Amino acid sequence: MTKTYTRDYWNSALDGLKLEGRHFIGGEHRTAASGETFTRIRPMDGKPGAELARGTTVDIDAAVASARAAFESGVWRKKEPLEKKKIMLRWAELIRAHGEELAMLETLDVGKPVLASLNVDVRLCADGIQYYGEMIDKLYDEIAPTGPNARALVRKVPLGVIGAITPWNYPMIIDAWKLGPAIAAGNSVVLKPAEQSSLSAIRLASLAVEAGLPAGVLNVVTGYGEEAGKPLALHMDVDMIAFTGSTEVGKLIMGYAAQSNVKRVALELGGKSPLVVFEDADLDAAASAVAWGCFYNSGETCHASTRLLVQRSVQDKLIAKIEALTKSDIALAHPFEPSAQIGALIEEAHMQKVLRMIAVGEKEGARRAFGAEQVLSETGGYYISPGVFVDMTNDMSLARQEIFGPVLAAIPFDTEEEALRLANDTIYGLAGAVFTKDMDRAHRFSEEIHAGTVWINTYDMSNFATPFGGFKQSGFGRDRSVHAIDKYCDYKTIWQQFG
């Protein structure tokens, strides 16, 4: 029987929910060495939420030492592949079994609808851990071609201690993107979640140990970027930093790696993804892709389709379809409401930043077609309605900057050549799409758009078999797929000479 979720159901669940805000180091919860905490304000209503440990260099040192000890002991990396696989599969099942709890933790932290947290974020987190668990006993080393008197074994070996720094927009999903391949490859990990979204990360770590992951293989330190993230990136005993977040912070991470031990870096950064619609396209399909691609998760998505490049002859018709669909299908509401399709923005400071960017855009000449206004202020939460700006050029700030809110910039074009030039006229290269019935044109565009993922007549479709990451200032390195394993490993040659 399918469970019926109501707002009262989630309010009742909230009353009994444990909010664990301590670090998780060496298989146990620990307070910050300083004893200090900070309070997470709930985006959905502006009320005080969990008290979290305020990590500093001392806590990072303890977590790295724990991870290093676990790695050097071989308690995980030397375990039989089949046994490691079983542990990760148990971990995935525990995530599913605690789905409602994890969904609540995620929603309290980030303000997204709790049913989205349950049906999307929890599901994809568990699927990611399972995907990489299943891969463990299917990874092979190589024998290199040599002469008859030698044998050269080429082994793929784990790097050691991985520092993972993850963002607040899809915490559980992106945690799984990092933790799954890093741990499957045999590494130990120190995870520093965004200060806005630590609760689910702490719980994931405790569930991993419950599943059988040895203590110290996965550690979580909570706190602010300058106080905990920076020391992790600078740490001399961390072998790699895997970071997802803004391009601005990604540049800092690269600098910290160079300043310290030349540790490896993988960066998944910002985006300003173009969705190109030609006049021969299915406009209903395009409108749906644009609206959901831009407004889902309140626009707080790195590869959101925030730049609509539309052929001038169908611009007005397409914008009208986007408006109608948004108002009928994409309900903005309190995250506990079953009808909610989108919820609150992450925090008040971010909401104010988005509103300032909207105001600047209007001063530059962007015309508001609908939405993009603060709403539900009576709740105390941080909500902005989905909105579209038209009469835009690609040099306006709303078309250049990553807004990370539910704001779409619509830019008209006349020719295919102009559309391609506009699509690539950005510092980013995370994703893009083209809508047309002309398949020759579709494939020309998919090859020529400079982005890590390009969709044809759809948007935001993927699975764990496909790598995800960007070109240009959207970063480098790939999450998801078997290729994600590679970045957490190195190649080691063992040469044996005979006679």
Side-chain angles (χ1 to χ4, degrees):
M1 182 180 295
T2 303
K3 184 178 290 188
T4 300
Y5 292 107
T6 64
R7 185 164 176 172
D8 287 342
Y9 178 90
W10 294 113
N11 281 327
S12 177
L14 179 59
D15 291 338
L17 186 66
K18 181 180 180 181
L19 302 181
E20 175 58 73
R22 292 174 292 173
H23 305 317
F24 193 81
I25 300 174
E28 62 183 15
H29 296 289
R30 299 188 193 179
T31 58
S34 66
E36 291 190 37
T37 62
F38 64 99
T39 302
R40 174 69 185 132
I41 301 300
R42 302 192 317 206
M44 63 184 183
D45 55 18
K47 295 179 180 178
E51 288 287 323
L52 296 156
R54 186 169 177 173
T56 62
T57 300
V58 178
D59 303 291
I60 290 295
D61 287 345
V64 172
S66 173
R68 177 59 65 187
F71 182 76
E72 295 298 338
S73 72
V75 67
W76 175 249
R77 65 184 171 91
K78 293 182 179 180
K79 194 179 288 291
E80 286 290 330
L82 182 59
E83 182 59 27
K84 289 195 286 186
K85 171 182 172 178
K86 289 177 179 178
I87 289 170
M88 290 195 70
L89 295 185
R90 284 199 293 269
W91 186 14
E93 285 309 307
L94 283 173
I95 293 169
R96 295 185 179 105
H98 290 265
E100 289 185 12
E101 174 194 358
L102 287 164
M104 283 286 289
L105 296 176
E106 198 84 325
T107 289
L108 289 176
D109 264 347
V110 305
K112 68 177 64 183
V114 67
L115 288 179
S117 294
L118 178 63
N119 296 324
V120 179
D121 298 58
V122 171
R123 174 177 60 84
L124 291 178
C125 177
D127 288 352
I129 298 301
Q130 177 177 332
Y131 179 87
Y132 288 103
E134 292 279 8
M135 197 177 290
I136 289 175
D137 61 354
K138 301 170 184 67
L139 299 172
Y140 289 84
D141 292 324
E142 302 171 2
I143 299 292
T146 62
N149 295 323
R151 178 174 297 151
L153 174 63
V154 181
R155 296 209 58 225
K156 191 179 289 187
V157 297
L159 294 176
V161 175
I162 307 299
I165 302 176
T166 54
W168 46 256
N169 56 336
Y170 295 96
M172 279 188 288
I173 294 174
I174 298 176
D175 285 350
W177 287 4
K178 311 296 188 194
L179 301 179
I183 292 174
N187 299 283
S188 296
V189 180
V190 176
L191 171 62
K192 209 300 282 185
E195 61 266 24
Q196 298 92 341
S197 55
S198 301
L199 293 175
S200 60
I202 296 168
R203 189 66 177 114
L204 286 176
S206 65
L207 289 175
V209 169
E210 185 178 335
L213 192 72
V217 175
L218 173 55
N219 308 272
V220 179
V221 176
T222 62
Y224 296 102
E226 276 289 315
E227 297 175 351
K230 182 178 179 180
L232 181 61
L234 283 168
H235 206 287
M236 295 297 291
D237 204 24
V238 170
D239 299 291
M240 176 186 173
I241 291 290
F243 172 78
T244 295
S246 70
T247 296
E248 178 184 18
V249 176
K251 292 177 180 179
L252 293 176
I253 297 291
M254 290 187 72
Y256 299 149
Q259 292 169 36
S260 53
N261 58 344
V262 199
K263 59 176 60 68
R264 301 187 187 193
V265 175
L267 304 174
E268 195 271 281
L269 306 176
K272 196 69 181 175
S273 300
L275 192 155
V276 183
V277 180
F278 286 92
E279 61 186 0
D280 68 336
D282 180 335
L283 295 187
D284 289 323
S288 179
V290 171
W292 286 105
C294 184
F295 302 144
Y296 182 74
N297 206 46
S298 298
E300 295 171 329
T301 302
C302 54
H303 62 277
S305 55
T306 52
R307 277 194 308 147
L308 168 62
L309 308 180
V310 55
Q311 200 148 24
R312 196 178 305 274
S313 58
V314 294
Q315 176 183 222
D316 292 346
K317 187 176 182 180
L318 180 60
I319 296 300
K321 287 179 177 290
I322 293 170
E323 181 175 7
L325 184 145
T326 300
K327 292 180 177 179
S328 64
D329 292 2
I330 307 180
L332 188 158
H334 187 285
F336 287 177
E337 290 290 350
S339 62
Q341 296 288 348
I342 56 176
L345 273 69
I346 188 67
E347 58 190 359
E348 183 177 16
H350 183 62
M351 179 185 70
Q352 295 300 334
K353 178 184 175 182
V354 173
L355 292 172
R356 286 194 302 271
M357 294 176 76
I358 289 170
V360 170
E362 289 187 297
K363 288 181 181 178
E364 292 175 346
R367 180 172 63 83
R368 189 193 307 260
F370 67 90
E373 299 171 316
Q374 184 179 356
V375 294
L376 301 180
S377 56
E378 71 279 2
T379 66
Y382 317 123
Y383 300 86
I384 293 179
S385 62
V388 175
F389 286 85
V390 296
D391 297 340
M392 292 192 59
T393 60
N394 202 50
D395 59 354
M396 293 179 176
S397 58
L398 289 180
R400 308 298 297 178
Q401 299 176 16
E402 187 178 36
I403 301 169
F404 235 57
V407 182
L408 176 68
I411 304 164
F413 68 86
D414 293 301
T415 66
E416 181 177 326
E417 293 74 20
E418 182 186 9
L420 183 59
R421 177 182 59 79
L422 290 170
N424 287 330
D425 182 17
T426 173
I427 64 171
Y428 300 110
L430 193 53
V434 56
F435 277 72
T436 179
K437 293 176 182 175
D438 183 338
M439 286 299 102
D440 288 338
R441 173 194 282 155
H443 287 286
R444 283 198 303 273
F445 257 70
S446 64
E447 291 293 335
E448 294 300 327
I449 291 178
H450 302 322
T453 300
V454 181
W455 291 281
I456 296 175
N457 293 330
T458 189
Y459 203 83
D460 200 22
M461 300 298 292
S462 66
N463 60 33
F464 276 97
T466 57
F468 180 78
F471 296 173
K472 301 191 283 188
Q473 292 191 41
S474 289
F476 53 86
R478 292 294 182 266
D479 290 316
R480 295 197 322 234
S481 83
V482 66
H483 301 292
I485 292 276
D486 294 340
K487 73 183 183 185
Y488 297 107
C489 296
D490 210 343
Y491 290 97
K492 181 176 186 177
T493 298
I494 300 174
W495 186 288
Q496 182 180 6
Q497 193 73 27
F498 304 109

